[in-house]
Amino acid sequence: MEAIDASLVDWSRAQFALTAMYHWLFVPLTLGLGVVMSIMETLYVRTGREFWKQTAKFWMKLFGINFAMGVATGIILEFEFGTNWSNYSWFVGDIFGAPLAIEGILAFFMESTFIAIMYFGWKKVGKGTHLAATWLTVIGATISAWWILVANAWMQHPVGMEFNPDTVRNEMVDFAAVAFNSGAVVKFCHTVSSSWVLGCVFVVGISCWYLLRGRHTEFAHSSIKVAAAFGLLAALITGYTGHHSGRIIAEQQPMKLAAAEGLYEGGNGQGLVMAGVLRPGADWTQPSEEDKMLFAVEMPYALSLLATHEKNGYVPGVRNILEGGYTLPDGSTALSAEEKMKRGRIAIAALAAYRAAEDPALKAEALSTLRENFEYFGYGYLETPGDLVPPVPLTFYSFRVMVVLGGYFIALFAGLLLLRRRLEKWRIVLWCVVLSIPLAWVASQAGWVVAEVGRQPWSIQGLLPNVAAISRLEVSSVQTTFYIFLGLFTLLLLAELRIMGKAIAGGPDADDNSQPNA
Amino acid sequence: MRFYIDGFRGMTLGRTLWCIILIKLIIIFAVLKAFFFPAYLKGDEEEKGKLVSSELTTRQAGK
């Protein structure tokens, strides 16, 4: 067996994370702001008030700036699949390619057609047609997100495919199972609703900035009313879908749940950690005499209820998952990590034997062994059971950041709805709302950190760890491109912030002369 | 067609945004793709399959 430099895995991951996190700065604002501006245009069409038209046009301008700056940032991710993650790309090509291709076609035809009508068509098409184009632009962007999330959910829970040892690829055998994977449905609802929250925080934040400056007060109050009401609804949906997401993770990725909860020793009737501090430097791959949690405030039984819908349901911790032996929801007994690694190595050897064999009988025997153990294929690349443990502190704290900020946004939107016109007297609240704008991105990125860091070491859960998924490149090449991207992304971000800042400073009055199209 | 021509002609802020989009696309496709993203898997489908198969059956984690 040939060894892969561990730092190559780390740099490849860092580069992909940088690109994905940069891309994710733009996507949620597109999804969230899109709905808010569509609601405002709907109010214009329903009431006929010119005020709502100007309000919608202003937010549409900021939507356009964000959309333009985000264009093509996802393409770099697709390049990286081919260069840095070539084994992965080949291994999953047929499954991963279909959702991405559908996304590309939808994004191109649906969004590009309707976005043109949305920006160029104010004086060219009727009110109803324009409103339909605005909504269809947003719906197109949301459907695009669906297909990307289908691809991501498949990596977290691979279904609907069959491995072909002749081509060394997984081939799709059940499109519906891939497209409507339980993880994909919940992930889509949670991701999109959290993006709505982000869009609403952005709108109320900028509106409060106008109130602090004593400018565009009518515009600001109306924008806050719409965004706070929709944001409150979206934040509640995000909490609800987050709960379902927890249940799915408990079923499909118990190690991620254990890491997110800092749960080393599992058991029945587990409490949910509301607040806690992990012992710095604790080794989560080995048992120790000291508790790995320094202190924790728990909600009794809540984790068991979340994971199993039973007060005394069993939730495995990191140690239980590594050692196995507990009863799984389907009644079978969980294998230990050692056993899974052994079966993974058998599967890899069977693939090699199948590829080398010329005698049909030997080929059939190898294929049978491969099929029998394929479920554990990826475990064969791991050196020790500890390799299965993700970075616990990062997953644990990111999860808490996401949840705490989610709760804060519910309170924020509810508070804004309660204060309404009295809001201007509460300058401290106005400042809090303005300063909350970046927190929406922090929460959104923290959610992705939980989802992606929490499932390490896998590129595809159980089938392909990162160490087998990456291309055999020079570490220095990956480091160089990492810094090039970092510089490029920073420059682009500064450009966006400058253009966006200028548009916001101009305010809605400047709207007619500064639409992206106008 | 006229719709698009009039729309593009009337742009103000949109011109800056389109400039940024074009610069970005040139950097991504002409510079990054050409110099920093060489095709790792080469040859026809069979050769690519053989390369990945060899990688997957001989690889192990580094120490």
PDB file of all heavy atoms in Angstrom, chain A residues 1-2 4 69 71 83 86 124 355 381 383 467 470 472 513 516-518, chain B residues 6 10-12 14 20 24 36-38 40 53 55-56 58-62:
ATOM      1  N   MET A   1       0.839  -1.204   0.000  1.00  0.00           N
ATOM      2  CA  MET A   1       0.000   0.000   0.000  1.00  0.00           C
ATOM      3  C   MET A   1       0.877   1.259   0.000  1.00  0.00           C
ATOM      4  O   MET A   1       1.853   1.345   0.718  1.00  0.00           O
ATOM      5  CB  MET A   1      -0.888   0.022   1.254  1.00  0.00           C
ATOM      6  CG  MET A   1      -1.898  -1.086   1.331  1.00  0.00           C
ATOM      7  SD  MET A   1      -3.308  -0.833   0.283  1.00  0.00           S
ATOM      8  CE  MET A   1      -4.569  -0.490   1.491  1.00  0.00           C
ATOM      9  N   GLU A   2       0.447   2.263  -0.792  1.00  0.00           N
ATOM     10  CA  GLU A   2       1.212   3.501  -0.855  1.00  0.00           C
ATOM     11  C   GLU A   2       0.595   4.529   0.092  1.00  0.00           C
ATOM     12  O   GLU A   2      -0.618   4.688   0.114  1.00  0.00           O
ATOM     13  CB  GLU A   2       1.183   4.056  -2.275  1.00  0.00           C
ATOM     14  CG  GLU A   2       1.926   3.183  -3.276  1.00  0.00           C
ATOM     15  CD  GLU A   2       1.738   3.701  -4.677  1.00  0.00           C
ATOM     16  OE1 GLU A   2       1.970   4.902  -4.896  1.00  0.00           O
ATOM     17  OE2 GLU A   2       1.329   2.911  -5.542  1.00  0.00           O
ATOM     18  N   ILE A   4      -0.275   8.233   1.690  1.00  0.00           N
ATOM     19  CA  ILE A   4      -0.587   9.594   1.239  1.00  0.00           C
ATOM     20  C   ILE A   4      -0.192  10.549   2.358  1.00  0.00           C
ATOM     21  O   ILE A   4      -0.472  10.288   3.533  1.00  0.00           O
ATOM     22  CB  ILE A   4      -2.105   9.695   0.938  1.00  0.00           C
ATOM     23  CG1 ILE A   4      -2.393   9.244  -0.483  1.00  0.00           C
ATOM     24  CG2 ILE A   4      -2.659  11.062   1.172  1.00  0.00           C
ATOM     25  CD1 ILE A   4      -2.046  10.243  -1.566  1.00  0.00           C
ATOM     26  N   MET A  69     -21.878  39.398  -7.888  1.00  0.00           N
ATOM     27  CA  MET A  69     -20.617  39.062  -7.240  1.00  0.00           C
ATOM     28  C   MET A  69     -20.508  37.559  -6.972  1.00  0.00           C
ATOM     29  O   MET A  69     -19.404  37.015  -6.910  1.00  0.00           O
ATOM     30  CB  MET A  69     -20.481  39.816  -5.901  1.00  0.00           C
ATOM     31  CG  MET A  69     -20.472  41.314  -6.027  1.00  0.00           C
ATOM     32  SD  MET A  69     -19.246  41.959  -7.161  1.00  0.00           S
ATOM     33  CE  MET A  69     -17.740  41.523  -6.355  1.00  0.00           C
ATOM     34  N   VAL A  71     -21.796  35.224  -8.949  1.00  0.00           N
ATOM     35  CA  VAL A  71     -21.788  34.451 -10.204  1.00  0.00           C
ATOM     36  C   VAL A  71     -20.428  33.778 -10.371  1.00  0.00           C
ATOM     37  O   VAL A  71     -19.386  34.393 -10.186  1.00  0.00           O
ATOM     38  CB  VAL A  71     -22.065  35.380 -11.417  1.00  0.00           C
ATOM     39  CG1 VAL A  71     -21.628  34.732 -12.725  1.00  0.00           C
ATOM     40  CG2 VAL A  71     -23.541  35.719 -11.486  1.00  0.00           C
ATOM     41  N   THR A  83      -9.654  18.240 -10.119  1.00  0.00           N
ATOM     42  CA  THR A  83      -8.200  18.250  -9.924  1.00  0.00           C
ATOM     43  C   THR A  83      -7.796  17.711  -8.556  1.00  0.00           C
ATOM     44  O   THR A  83      -7.016  16.776  -8.467  1.00  0.00           O
ATOM     45  CB  THR A  83      -7.648  19.675 -10.081  1.00  0.00           C
ATOM     46  OG1 THR A  83      -8.380  20.525  -9.230  1.00  0.00           O
ATOM     47  CG2 THR A  83      -7.748  20.144 -11.506  1.00  0.00           C
ATOM     48  N   SER A  86      -9.959  13.950  -7.650  1.00  0.00           N
ATOM     49  CA  SER A  86     -10.233  13.202  -8.882  1.00  0.00           C
ATOM     50  C   SER A  86     -10.732  11.785  -8.606  1.00  0.00           C
ATOM     51  O   SER A  86     -11.613  11.296  -9.315  1.00  0.00           O
ATOM     52  CB  SER A  86      -8.992  13.161  -9.769  1.00  0.00           C
ATOM     53  OG  SER A  86      -7.934  12.576  -9.060  1.00  0.00           O
ATOM     54  N   LYS A 124     -41.519  47.581 -19.677  1.00  0.00           N
ATOM     55  CA  LYS A 124     -41.764  46.847 -20.928  1.00  0.00           C
ATOM     56  C   LYS A 124     -42.855  45.786 -20.793  1.00  0.00           C
ATOM     57  O   LYS A 124     -43.466  45.418 -21.776  1.00  0.00           O
ATOM     58  CB  LYS A 124     -40.476  46.136 -21.362  1.00  0.00           C
ATOM     59  CG  LYS A 124     -39.262  47.031 -21.405  1.00  0.00           C
ATOM     60  CD  LYS A 124     -38.852  47.307 -22.814  1.00  0.00           C
ATOM     61  CE  LYS A 124     -37.662  48.246 -22.827  1.00  0.00           C
ATOM     62  NZ  LYS A 124     -37.334  48.679 -24.165  1.00  0.00           N
ATOM     63  N   ARG A 355     -10.394  -7.028 -10.397  1.00  0.00           N
ATOM     64  CA  ARG A 355      -9.778  -6.315 -11.516  1.00  0.00           C
ATOM     65  C   ARG A 355      -8.641  -7.147 -12.136  1.00  0.00           C
ATOM     66  O   ARG A 355      -8.390  -7.072 -13.333  1.00  0.00           O
ATOM     67  CB  ARG A 355      -9.216  -4.972 -11.053  1.00  0.00           C
ATOM     68  CG  ARG A 355     -10.236  -4.040 -10.439  1.00  0.00           C
ATOM     69  CD  ARG A 355     -11.003  -3.201 -11.394  1.00  0.00           C
ATOM     70  NE  ARG A 355     -10.184  -2.432 -12.299  1.00  0.00           N
ATOM     71  CZ  ARG A 355     -10.667  -1.712 -13.301  1.00  0.00           C
ATOM     72  NH1 ARG A 355     -11.961  -1.683 -13.509  1.00  0.00           N
ATOM     73  NH2 ARG A 355      -9.869  -1.034 -14.091  1.00  0.00           N
ATOM     74  N   TYR A 381      -9.526   2.048   4.395  1.00  0.00           N
ATOM     75  CA  TYR A 381      -8.432   3.002   4.223  1.00  0.00           C
ATOM     76  C   TYR A 381      -7.969   3.606   5.544  1.00  0.00           C
ATOM     77  O   TYR A 381      -6.986   4.332   5.585  1.00  0.00           O
ATOM     78  CB  TYR A 381      -8.865   4.146   3.296  1.00  0.00           C
ATOM     79  CG  TYR A 381      -9.162   3.674   1.894  1.00  0.00           C
ATOM     80  CD1 TYR A 381     -10.471   3.452   1.478  1.00  0.00           C
ATOM     81  CD2 TYR A 381      -8.127   3.410   1.011  1.00  0.00           C
ATOM     82  CE1 TYR A 381     -10.746   2.993   0.214  1.00  0.00           C
ATOM     83  CE2 TYR A 381      -8.396   2.950  -0.270  1.00  0.00           C
ATOM     84  CZ  TYR A 381      -9.706   2.741  -0.662  1.00  0.00           C
ATOM     85  OH  TYR A 381      -9.966   2.273  -1.915  1.00  0.00           O
ATOM     86  N   GLU A 383      -6.439   3.875   9.337  1.00  0.00           N
ATOM     87  CA  GLU A 383      -5.334   3.218  10.036  1.00  0.00           C
ATOM     88  C   GLU A 383      -5.731   2.743  11.411  1.00  0.00           C
ATOM     89  O   GLU A 383      -5.349   1.667  11.835  1.00  0.00           O
ATOM     90  CB  GLU A 383      -4.180   4.206  10.182  1.00  0.00           C
ATOM     91  CG  GLU A 383      -3.375   4.359   8.928  1.00  0.00           C
ATOM     92  CD  GLU A 383      -2.005   4.893   9.236  1.00  0.00           C
ATOM     93  OE1 GLU A 383      -1.815   5.457  10.329  1.00  0.00           O
ATOM     94  OE2 GLU A 383      -1.132   4.742   8.386  1.00  0.00           O
ATOM     95  N   VAL A 467      -8.744  10.534   2.541  1.00  0.00           N
ATOM     96  CA  VAL A 467      -7.408  10.060   2.188  1.00  0.00           C
ATOM     97  C   VAL A 467      -7.430   9.253   0.880  1.00  0.00           C
ATOM     98  O   VAL A 467      -6.436   9.225   0.150  1.00  0.00           O
ATOM     99  CB  VAL A 467      -6.800   9.240   3.362  1.00  0.00           C
ATOM    100  CG1 VAL A 467      -7.505   7.906   3.529  1.00  0.00           C
ATOM    101  CG2 VAL A 467      -5.319   9.050   3.183  1.00  0.00           C
ATOM    102  N   ILE A 470      -8.723  12.080  -2.485  1.00  0.00           N
ATOM    103  CA  ILE A 470      -7.936  13.182  -3.078  1.00  0.00           C
ATOM    104  C   ILE A 470      -6.999  12.698  -4.180  1.00  0.00           C
ATOM    105  O   ILE A 470      -6.634  11.538  -4.243  1.00  0.00           O
ATOM    106  CB  ILE A 470      -7.105  13.933  -2.010  1.00  0.00           C
ATOM    107  CG1 ILE A 470      -6.218  12.961  -1.230  1.00  0.00           C
ATOM    108  CG2 ILE A 470      -7.980  14.731  -1.096  1.00  0.00           C
ATOM    109  CD1 ILE A 470      -5.184  13.653  -0.379  1.00  0.00           C
ATOM    110  N   ARG A 472      -3.363  12.636  -6.092  1.00  0.00           N
ATOM    111  CA  ARG A 472      -1.982  12.597  -5.600  1.00  0.00           C
ATOM    112  C   ARG A 472      -1.224  13.787  -6.199  1.00  0.00           C
ATOM    113  O   ARG A 472      -0.543  13.664  -7.220  1.00  0.00           O
ATOM    114  CB  ARG A 472      -1.340  11.278  -6.012  1.00  0.00           C
ATOM    115  CG  ARG A 472      -0.068  10.937  -5.302  1.00  0.00           C
ATOM    116  CD  ARG A 472       0.487   9.645  -5.840  1.00  0.00           C
ATOM    117  NE  ARG A 472      -0.343   8.504  -5.486  1.00  0.00           N
ATOM    118  CZ  ARG A 472      -0.276   7.864  -4.320  1.00  0.00           C
ATOM    119  NH1 ARG A 472       0.594   8.247  -3.419  1.00  0.00           N
ATOM    120  NH2 ARG A 472      -1.050   6.830  -4.064  1.00  0.00           N
ATOM    121  N   ASN A 513     -32.031  55.804 -10.753  1.00  0.00           N
ATOM    122  CA  ASN A 513     -30.873  55.997 -11.614  1.00  0.00           C
ATOM    123  C   ASN A 513     -29.768  54.982 -11.383  1.00  0.00           C
ATOM    124  O   ASN A 513     -28.728  55.060 -12.002  1.00  0.00           O
ATOM    125  CB  ASN A 513     -30.293  57.402 -11.398  1.00  0.00           C
ATOM    126  CG  ASN A 513     -31.315  58.447 -11.766  1.00  0.00           C
ATOM    127  OD1 ASN A 513     -32.011  58.289 -12.756  1.00  0.00           O
ATOM    128  ND2 ASN A 513     -31.415  59.491 -10.950  1.00  0.00           N
ATOM    129  N   PRO A 516     -29.212  47.989 -11.213  1.00  0.00           N
ATOM    130  CA  PRO A 516     -28.146  47.349 -11.960  1.00  0.00           C
ATOM    131  C   PRO A 516     -28.392  47.456 -13.464  1.00  0.00           C
ATOM    132  O   PRO A 516     -27.479  47.471 -14.251  1.00  0.00           O
ATOM    133  CB  PRO A 516     -28.218  45.899 -11.499  1.00  0.00           C
ATOM    134  CG  PRO A 516     -28.775  45.973 -10.130  1.00  0.00           C
ATOM    135  CD  PRO A 516     -29.743  47.123 -10.165  1.00  0.00           C
ATOM    136  N   ASN A 517     -29.654  47.502 -13.871  1.00  0.00           N
ATOM    137  CA  ASN A 517     -29.948  47.557 -15.304  1.00  0.00           C
ATOM    138  C   ASN A 517     -30.225  48.976 -15.776  1.00  0.00           C
ATOM    139  O   ASN A 517     -30.109  49.283 -16.944  1.00  0.00           O
ATOM    140  CB  ASN A 517     -31.182  46.715 -15.599  1.00  0.00           C
ATOM    141  CG  ASN A 517     -32.409  47.239 -14.905  1.00  0.00           C
ATOM    142  OD1 ASN A 517     -32.390  47.433 -13.701  1.00  0.00           O
ATOM    143  ND2 ASN A 517     -33.454  47.483 -15.640  1.00  0.00           N
ATOM    144  N   ALA A 518     -30.613  49.825 -14.803  1.00  0.00           N
ATOM    145  CA  ALA A 518     -31.171  51.110 -15.222  1.00  0.00           C
ATOM    146  C   ALA A 518     -30.104  52.103 -15.677  1.00  0.00           C
ATOM    147  O   ALA A 518     -28.954  51.975 -15.348  1.00  0.00           O
ATOM    148  CB  ALA A 518     -31.958  51.728 -14.098  1.00  0.00           C
TER     149      ALA A 518
ATOM    150  N   ASP B   6     -31.949  47.208 -25.427  1.00  0.00           N
ATOM    151  CA  ASP B   6     -32.336  48.416 -24.676  1.00  0.00           C
ATOM    152  C   ASP B   6     -31.914  48.290 -23.212  1.00  0.00           C
ATOM    153  O   ASP B   6     -31.429  49.241 -22.614  1.00  0.00           O
ATOM    154  CB  ASP B   6     -33.854  48.620 -24.733  1.00  0.00           C
ATOM    155  CG  ASP B   6     -34.286  49.074 -26.117  1.00  0.00           C
ATOM    156  OD1 ASP B   6     -33.402  49.443 -26.917  1.00  0.00           O
ATOM    157  OD2 ASP B   6     -35.511  49.036 -26.401  1.00  0.00           O
ATOM    158  N   GLY B  10     -29.178  50.708 -21.300  1.00  0.00           N
ATOM    159  CA  GLY B  10     -29.615  51.602 -20.229  1.00  0.00           C
ATOM    160  C   GLY B  10     -28.922  51.377 -18.895  1.00  0.00           C
ATOM    161  O   GLY B  10     -29.254  52.029 -17.904  1.00  0.00           O
ATOM    162  N   MET B  11     -27.970  50.464 -18.850  1.00  0.00           N
ATOM    163  CA  MET B  11     -27.348  50.128 -17.561  1.00  0.00           C
ATOM    164  C   MET B  11     -26.437  51.238 -17.040  1.00  0.00           C
ATOM    165  O   MET B  11     -25.776  51.915 -17.827  1.00  0.00           O
ATOM    166  CB  MET B  11     -26.510  48.857 -17.686  1.00  0.00           C
ATOM    167  CG  MET B  11     -27.329  47.617 -17.867  1.00  0.00           C
ATOM    168  SD  MET B  11     -26.348  46.114 -17.666  1.00  0.00           S
ATOM    169  CE  MET B  11     -25.059  46.361 -18.815  1.00  0.00           C
ATOM    170  N   THR B  12     -26.391  51.403 -15.708  1.00  0.00           N
ATOM    171  CA  THR B  12     -25.430  52.328 -15.092  1.00  0.00           C
ATOM    172  C   THR B  12     -24.556  51.517 -14.125  1.00  0.00           C
ATOM    173  O   THR B  12     -23.445  51.140 -14.479  1.00  0.00           O
ATOM    174  CB  THR B  12     -26.155  53.472 -14.341  1.00  0.00           C
ATOM    175  OG1 THR B  12     -27.158  52.894 -13.506  1.00  0.00           O
ATOM    176  CG2 THR B  12     -26.775  54.462 -15.304  1.00  0.00           C
ATOM    177  N   GLY B  14     -25.088  48.530 -13.422  1.00  0.00           N
ATOM    178  CA  GLY B  14     -24.960  47.223 -14.072  1.00  0.00           C
ATOM    179  C   GLY B  14     -23.692  47.096 -14.891  1.00  0.00           C
ATOM    180  O   GLY B  14     -23.117  46.015 -14.992  1.00  0.00           O
ATOM    181  N   ILE B  20     -17.025  43.420 -13.578  1.00  0.00           N
ATOM    182  CA  ILE B  20     -16.480  42.524 -12.546  1.00  0.00           C
ATOM    183  C   ILE B  20     -16.732  41.068 -12.922  1.00  0.00           C
ATOM    184  O   ILE B  20     -15.849  40.216 -12.795  1.00  0.00           O
ATOM    185  CB  ILE B  20     -17.084  42.861 -11.164  1.00  0.00           C
ATOM    186  CG1 ILE B  20     -16.556  44.224 -10.706  1.00  0.00           C
ATOM    187  CG2 ILE B  20     -16.736  41.794 -10.131  1.00  0.00           C
ATOM    188  CD1 ILE B  20     -17.195  44.759  -9.456  1.00  0.00           C
ATOM    189  N   LYS B  24     -13.841  38.374 -13.610  1.00  0.00           N
ATOM    190  CA  LYS B  24     -13.854  37.153 -12.799  1.00  0.00           C
ATOM    191  C   LYS B  24     -13.855  35.903 -13.688  1.00  0.00           C
ATOM    192  O   LYS B  24     -13.100  34.959 -13.446  1.00  0.00           O
ATOM    193  CB  LYS B  24     -15.110  37.184 -11.908  1.00  0.00           C
ATOM    194  CG  LYS B  24     -15.103  36.174 -10.822  1.00  0.00           C
ATOM    195  CD  LYS B  24     -16.128  36.501  -9.769  1.00  0.00           C
ATOM    196  CE  LYS B  24     -17.518  36.690 -10.307  1.00  0.00           C
ATOM    197  NZ  LYS B  24     -18.532  36.838  -9.278  1.00  0.00           N
ATOM    198  N   PHE B  36      -3.657  26.399 -13.241  1.00  0.00           N
ATOM    199  CA  PHE B  36      -3.701  25.788 -11.911  1.00  0.00           C
ATOM    200  C   PHE B  36      -4.629  24.579 -11.809  1.00  0.00           C
ATOM    201  O   PHE B  36      -4.672  23.925 -10.786  1.00  0.00           O
ATOM    202  CB  PHE B  36      -4.108  26.829 -10.859  1.00  0.00           C
ATOM    203  CG  PHE B  36      -3.102  27.922 -10.730  1.00  0.00           C
ATOM    204  CD1 PHE B  36      -3.326  29.155 -11.304  1.00  0.00           C
ATOM    205  CD2 PHE B  36      -1.902  27.698 -10.074  1.00  0.00           C
ATOM    206  CE1 PHE B  36      -2.383  30.165 -11.210  1.00  0.00           C
ATOM    207  CE2 PHE B  36      -0.952  28.693  -9.965  1.00  0.00           C
ATOM    208  CZ  PHE B  36      -1.186  29.933 -10.541  1.00  0.00           C
ATOM    209  N   PHE B  37      -5.383  24.307 -12.850  1.00  0.00           N
ATOM    210  CA  PHE B  37      -6.286  23.154 -12.805  1.00  0.00           C
ATOM    211  C   PHE B  37      -6.026  22.224 -13.994  1.00  0.00           C
ATOM    212  O   PHE B  37      -6.894  22.024 -14.825  1.00  0.00           O
ATOM    213  CB  PHE B  37      -7.750  23.602 -12.797  1.00  0.00           C
ATOM    214  CG  PHE B  37      -8.187  24.191 -11.494  1.00  0.00           C
ATOM    215  CD1 PHE B  37      -8.448  25.541 -11.379  1.00  0.00           C
ATOM    216  CD2 PHE B  37      -8.325  23.396 -10.373  1.00  0.00           C
ATOM    217  CE1 PHE B  37      -8.854  26.092 -10.177  1.00  0.00           C
ATOM    218  CE2 PHE B  37      -8.728  23.940  -9.159  1.00  0.00           C
ATOM    219  CZ  PHE B  37      -8.993  25.286  -9.062  1.00  0.00           C
ATOM    220  N   PRO B  38      -4.828  21.660 -14.090  1.00  0.00           N
ATOM    221  CA  PRO B  38      -4.585  20.722 -15.187  1.00  0.00           C
ATOM    222  C   PRO B  38      -5.430  19.461 -14.984  1.00  0.00           C
ATOM    223  O   PRO B  38      -5.750  19.121 -13.839  1.00  0.00           O
ATOM    224  CB  PRO B  38      -3.091  20.406 -15.051  1.00  0.00           C
ATOM    225  CG  PRO B  38      -2.779  20.665 -13.618  1.00  0.00           C
ATOM    226  CD  PRO B  38      -3.704  21.753 -13.162  1.00  0.00           C
ATOM    227  N   TYR B  40      -6.239  16.010 -14.159  1.00  0.00           N
ATOM    228  CA  TYR B  40      -5.494  14.983 -13.424  1.00  0.00           C
ATOM    229  C   TYR B  40      -5.743  13.604 -14.029  1.00  0.00           C
ATOM    230  O   TYR B  40      -4.832  12.812 -14.205  1.00  0.00           O
ATOM    231  CB  TYR B  40      -5.908  15.013 -11.947  1.00  0.00           C
ATOM    232  CG  TYR B  40      -5.116  14.060 -11.092  1.00  0.00           C
ATOM    233  CD1 TYR B  40      -3.834  14.395 -10.661  1.00  0.00           C
ATOM    234  CD2 TYR B  40      -5.633  12.827 -10.733  1.00  0.00           C
ATOM    235  CE1 TYR B  40      -3.098  13.511  -9.882  1.00  0.00           C
ATOM    236  CE2 TYR B  40      -4.909  11.943  -9.967  1.00  0.00           C
ATOM    237  CZ  TYR B  40      -3.636  12.286  -9.546  1.00  0.00           C
ATOM    238  OH  TYR B  40      -2.910  11.414  -8.781  1.00  0.00           O
ATOM    239  N   SER B  53      -8.797   2.866 -10.217  1.00  0.00           N
ATOM    240  CA  SER B  53      -8.800   1.534  -9.604  1.00  0.00           C
ATOM    241  C   SER B  53      -7.455   1.267  -8.938  1.00  0.00           C
ATOM    242  O   SER B  53      -7.386   0.777  -7.800  1.00  0.00           O
ATOM    243  CB  SER B  53      -9.083   0.509 -10.695  1.00  0.00           C
ATOM    244  OG  SER B  53      -8.718  -0.756 -10.254  1.00  0.00           O
ATOM    245  N   GLU B  55      -5.349   3.503  -7.886  1.00  0.00           N
ATOM    246  CA  GLU B  55      -5.245   4.389  -6.716  1.00  0.00           C
ATOM    247  C   GLU B  55      -6.024   3.819  -5.529  1.00  0.00           C
ATOM    248  O   GLU B  55      -5.536   3.802  -4.404  1.00  0.00           O
ATOM    249  CB  GLU B  55      -5.810   5.770  -7.058  1.00  0.00           C
ATOM    250  CG  GLU B  55      -4.893   6.624  -7.907  1.00  0.00           C
ATOM    251  CD  GLU B  55      -3.798   7.263  -7.080  1.00  0.00           C
ATOM    252  OE1 GLU B  55      -4.100   7.737  -5.991  1.00  0.00           O
ATOM    253  OE2 GLU B  55      -2.636   7.244  -7.521  1.00  0.00           O
ATOM    254  N   LEU B  56      -7.247   3.348  -5.804  1.00  0.00           N
ATOM    255  CA  LEU B  56      -8.114   2.904  -4.702  1.00  0.00           C
ATOM    256  C   LEU B  56      -7.669   1.574  -4.108  1.00  0.00           C
ATOM    257  O   LEU B  56      -7.976   1.274  -2.955  1.00  0.00           O
ATOM    258  CB  LEU B  56      -9.571   2.803  -5.164  1.00  0.00           C
ATOM    259  CG  LEU B  56     -10.279   4.110  -5.485  1.00  0.00           C
ATOM    260  CD1 LEU B  56     -11.731   3.856  -5.857  1.00  0.00           C
ATOM    261  CD2 LEU B  56     -10.230   5.082  -4.313  1.00  0.00           C
ATOM    262  N   THR B  58      -4.463   0.580  -3.912  1.00  0.00           N
ATOM    263  CA  THR B  58      -3.092   0.601  -3.358  1.00  0.00           C
ATOM    264  C   THR B  58      -2.883   1.686  -2.308  1.00  0.00           C
ATOM    265  O   THR B  58      -1.818   1.771  -1.719  1.00  0.00           O
ATOM    266  CB  THR B  58      -2.052   0.842  -4.475  1.00  0.00           C
ATOM    267  OG1 THR B  58      -2.365   2.077  -5.109  1.00  0.00           O
ATOM    268  CG2 THR B  58      -2.040  -0.284  -5.480  1.00  0.00           C
ATOM    269  N   ARG B  59      -3.892   2.506  -2.104  1.00  0.00           N
ATOM    270  CA  ARG B  59      -3.678   3.675  -1.232  1.00  0.00           C
ATOM    271  C   ARG B  59      -3.922   3.360   0.248  1.00  0.00           C
ATOM    272  O   ARG B  59      -4.781   2.563   0.580  1.00  0.00           O
ATOM    273  CB  ARG B  59      -4.615   4.806  -1.656  1.00  0.00           C
ATOM    274  CG  ARG B  59      -4.336   6.089  -0.940  1.00  0.00           C
ATOM    275  CD  ARG B  59      -5.122   7.220  -1.514  1.00  0.00           C
ATOM    276  NE  ARG B  59      -4.563   7.667  -2.774  1.00  0.00           N
ATOM    277  CZ  ARG B  59      -4.894   8.806  -3.370  1.00  0.00           C
ATOM    278  NH1 ARG B  59      -5.790   9.586  -2.830  1.00  0.00           N
ATOM    279  NH2 ARG B  59      -4.353   9.153  -4.506  1.00  0.00           N
ATOM    280  N   GLN B  60      -3.168   4.010   1.105  1.00  0.00           N
ATOM    281  CA  GLN B  60      -3.432   3.936   2.544  1.00  0.00           C
ATOM    282  C   GLN B  60      -3.160   5.291   3.165  1.00  0.00           C
ATOM    283  O   GLN B  60      -2.501   6.137   2.554  1.00  0.00           O
ATOM    284  CB  GLN B  60      -2.574   2.864   3.214  1.00  0.00           C
ATOM    285  CG  GLN B  60      -1.094   3.190   3.205  1.00  0.00           C
ATOM    286  CD  GLN B  60      -0.281   2.246   4.059  1.00  0.00           C
ATOM    287  OE1 GLN B  60      -0.792   1.249   4.528  1.00  0.00           O
ATOM    288  NE2 GLN B  60       0.966   2.559   4.271  1.00  0.00           N
ATOM    289  N   ALA B  61      -3.643   5.473   4.369  1.00  0.00           N
ATOM    290  CA  ALA B  61      -3.471   6.764   5.056  1.00  0.00           C
ATOM    291  C   ALA B  61      -2.009   6.979   5.414  1.00  0.00           C
ATOM    292  O   ALA B  61      -1.305   6.031   5.741  1.00  0.00           O
ATOM    293  CB  ALA B  61      -4.316   6.789   6.318  1.00  0.00           C
ATOM    294  N   GLY B  62      -1.531   8.226   5.340  1.00  0.00           N
ATOM    295  CA  GLY B  62      -0.161   8.552   5.710  1.00  0.00           C
ATOM    296  C   GLY B  62       0.000   8.653   7.206  1.00  0.00           C
ATOM    297  O   GLY B  62      -0.968   8.798   7.939  1.00  0.00           O
TER     298      GLY B  62
END
